[in-house]
Amino acid sequence: MTPEALEGLHARAVAPARGWSAAEFAALLESPHVFAVGDARAVALGRAVAGEAELLTLATDPDHRRGGLARACLAAFAAEARARGATEAFLEVAADNWAARALYVADGWAEAGLRPGYYQRTGHPPVDALMLVRTLP
């Protein structure tokens, strides 16, 4: 996917929050350690280096939710990270994002830490980020 396509998908997926710009996606994708898996309906963006992987973002178009696409992207992320030598993966998720948290727990992720007030919300108090970890199969 192009940075522009990623920008559009991400904006739809995270609305009303600010999605990442095409320039931000392009800058990330310049790194040989960063990869994207998925399609125009759902995508996972990850980074794998030195035996560890990080799920940078997981985005599903609202019109395509509840169809298993996010779970498929998580599986593709894990496979690609493993192929790049990673044995463990990390991510951050907003503590109030119950749907994402349920997906991650069902996929084998476990809480490993907390970043208080990490996510800034316009007109609302900041939200904690939960740090999750999982061993890659």
Side-chain angles (χ1 to χ4, degrees), residues 32-120:
H33 303 293
V34 174
F35 58 92
V37 293
D39 60 26
R41 301 167 299 161
V43 69
L45 187 73
R47 174 177 22 231
V49 63
E52 294 181 348
E54 180 182 8
L55 181 63
L56 300 170
T57 192
L58 176 64
T60 303
D61 187 298
D63 292 339
H64 297 281
R65 289 187 178 148
R66 309 285 311 158
L69 294 172
R71 185 174 305 279
C73 282
L74 283 176
F77 161 80
E80 180 62 23
R82 189 76 175 131
R84 291 169 177 251
T87 58
E88 194 168 44
F90 300 88
L91 65 80
E92 293 166 346
V93 62
D96 63 354
N97 189 342
W98 298 104
R101 289 176 61 185
L103 172 70
Y104 296 137
V105 168
D107 193 53
W109 296 80
E111 288 186 36
L114 178 75
R115 294 185 193 274
Y118 183 79
Y119 292 103
Q120 301 299 312

Side-chain angles (χ1 to χ4, degrees), residues 7 9 13 16 18 26 37-38 80 93-94 100 123 129 131 135:
E7 175 186 43
L9 173 59
R18 182 190 81 79
V37 293
E80 180 62 23
V93 62
M131 298 181 310
T135 300

